[in-house]
Amino acid sequence: MTKLDQQLAALYQSIDERGRQQLNAQQITGDPILAIHEPDQRRGLTLLVTLPAHVKRNIQFCLTSLRSAAPNMYYYPSTDLHITILDLLRAQKDFQLSPAQFSQYQRVISQVIAQARPVQWTIKNVYLSPVGVLVGGFYSPVLTTIRDQIRRQCQQQGLPVMERYRTVSGHMTVARFIKQPTNPQKLLKAVDQLAQLKFGTFTSYQFSLVVHDWYNQRIDQAAPLPIGQGA
């Protein structure tokens, strides 16, 4: 295991510990948007990577057991599963971004990742979190460099980067709490049974720059950005 893998494993484990503490203390609040069953009006600008079919298939297979343990959670469909590379402009209501501004971000990010190598991924392990259930993503070190260069280049070009938090992980959220589960121990048991599963490996040859909602259900604007075309 590389040093980066160790750091990511420690990060995911700390998230898991916080999730278990809040679940056991009945401090899960959930997302009110999910509770009222209304379309999510929040929008943001995100650089993300989608998953190959075999990884999505394996994740959906494991979600069947989670659904039986916690049927009142929100489960991401395969089409919406993604890994956030960078939250450029965090999702919020009244979000506004002109086509010209979108093109500026697209140009800057394209210049950065065109000089980078493709990113290798290993998708494995299931974790609890304060917001739901995560699947761990372990990536090659080039992604850390890409993120730092994008932040730096956007700043130099006067383009805001407004992350909800500084992104260092490569996880994906596969299920979210709507409210405090009625049987937390049943959910914990299901997560423990899935904890060491491996979902597959793949290599990212492109990212996607998207304007989308919180759950990636609706994409209003998108641009595929190839990696390594100038390397």
Side-chain angles (χ1 to χ4, degrees):
M1 180 179 287
T2 67
K3 182 178 180 180
L4 178 57
D5 287 343
Q6 292 174 345
Q7 292 171 342
L8 289 169
L11 171 62
Y12 297 146
Q13 189 59 43
S14 69
I15 294 172
D16 185 84
E17 291 171 0
R18 292 200 306 272
R20 290 169 186 268
Q21 290 171 358
Q22 292 192 24
L23 181 65
N24 288 324
Q26 297 188 346
Q27 295 176 344
I28 299 298
T29 57
D31 186 346
I33 294 295
L34 294 175
I36 61 177
H37 303 289
E38 290 186 359
D40 189 359
Q41 301 300 322
R42 297 166 295 188
R43 294 290 184 273
L45 180 66
T46 303
L47 186 67
L48 58 80
V49 61
T50 56
L51 306 172
H54 72 281
V55 174
K56 291 191 290 187
R57 182 177 61 249
N58 291 339
I59 289 173
Q60 289 299 329
F61 182 76
C62 103
L63 289 183
T64 58
S65 61
L66 283 176
R67 284 190 179 94
S68 63
N72 293 323
M73 294 182 70
Y74 171 79
Y75 292 92
Y76 281 71
S78 291
T79 52
D80 300 347
L81 289 173
H82 65 283
I83 299 173
T84 296
I85 301 302
L86 209 58
D87 265 327
L88 295 154
L89 299 172
R90 60 183 178 270
Q92 55 188 335
K93 290 185 178 179
D94 302 321
F95 175 83
Q96 293 184 348
L97 187 73
S98 70
Q101 291 170 319
F102 183 90
S103 296
Q104 285 181 297
Y105 281 101
Q106 181 179 349
R107 175 180 54 80
V108 170
I109 296 170
S110 293
Q111 290 173 349
V112 171
I113 67 175
Q115 304 301 319
R117 293 182 179 180
V119 181
Q120 297 175 340
W121 296 88
T122 298
I123 309 300
K124 62 180 182 179
N125 303 346
V126 176
Y127 306 89
L128 198 68
S129 89
V131 302
V133 178
L134 311 180
V135 169
F138 295 80
Y139 53 80
S140 51
V142 65
L143 181 56
T144 301
T145 302
I146 289 172
R147 284 169 165 162
D148 288 342
Q149 288 179 344
I150 290 173
R151 293 183 181 107
R152 184 167 56 251
Q153 290 299 319
C154 283
Q155 183 180 23
Q156 291 178 0
Q157 297 297 320
L159 298 174
V161 176
M162 302 168 58
E163 300 174 80
R164 285 180 291 143
Y165 49 84
R166 188 174 178 85
T167 306
V168 296
S169 79
H171 74 272
M172 73 194 76
T173 304
V174 298
R176 284 189 180 267
F177 292 118
I178 300 175
K179 59 182 179 179
Q180 171 74 29
T182 56
N183 193 337
Q185 294 307 312
K186 190 174 182 180
L187 173 59
L188 287 174
K189 183 178 180 181
V191 171
D192 288 340
Q193 290 173 340
L194 302 169
Q196 301 302 315
L197 283 183
K198 296 181 179 180
F199 299 98
T201 61
F202 68 100
T203 301
S204 293
Y205 294 97
Q206 75 172 30
F207 295 148
S208 294
L209 181 65
V210 302
V211 173
H212 67 160
D213 66 308
W214 192 278
Y215 295 99
N216 202 42
Q217 294 174 331
R218 174 179 166 181
I219 296 177
D220 295 340
Q221 200 168 0
L225 307 180
I227 304 171
Q229 294 300 302

